[in-house]
Amino acid sequence: PVSGVTLVAQPPGGQVAEGDRLVLSCSVATGTGPVSFSWHRDGSATPAAAGPRYELRNVRHRDSGRYRCAATNGATAATSSTLRVTVLGEWDPLAL
């Protein structure tokens, strides 16, 4: 079975300045057979991307949201906890 799905963001915490790059990485603690990964945003069942790494270059405010990754080996599946991505722009008081 697949278990222990972990999502890591760079920069850490998922806060990124508008125009910068965000890299999300997914890994599993255990899993037999080939493991495939898919990325989901804001609870959508339709994957936003596939693979253990999801890179957003030149992020925009519209990229803000809740991201999670799912891992499966074809027989079992598991998901990571949700990471809230916040894109900070000039209009955002948190960016000051």
Side-chain angles (χ1 to χ4, degrees):
V2 174
S3 64
V5 181
T6 304
L7 189 163
V8 176
Q10 186 61 40
Q15 286 196 345
V16 60
E18 191 168 19
D20 283 355
R21 181 175 73 139
L22 173 70
V23 178
L24 303 176
S25 300
C26 192
S27 62
V28 295
T30 60
T32 56
V35 177
S36 62
F37 299 92
S38 59
W39 293 93
H40 303 268
R41 181 176 168 207
D42 293 330
S44 173
T46 303
R53 182 179 147 126
Y54 184 26
E55 183 174 345
L56 297 167
R57 296 180 185 179
N58 195 24
V59 295
R60 296 289 171 226
H61 183 260
R62 68 177 174 268
D63 295 316
S64 292
R66 296 177 323 274
Y67 289 79
R68 66 182 169 83
C69 100
T72 182
N73 65 358
T76 60
T79 59
S80 69
S81 58
T82 301
L83 173 72
R84 177 148 187 85
V85 170
T86 305
V87 178
L88 305 172
E90 291 179 17
W91 56 270
D92 192 330
L94 296 175
L96 299 177

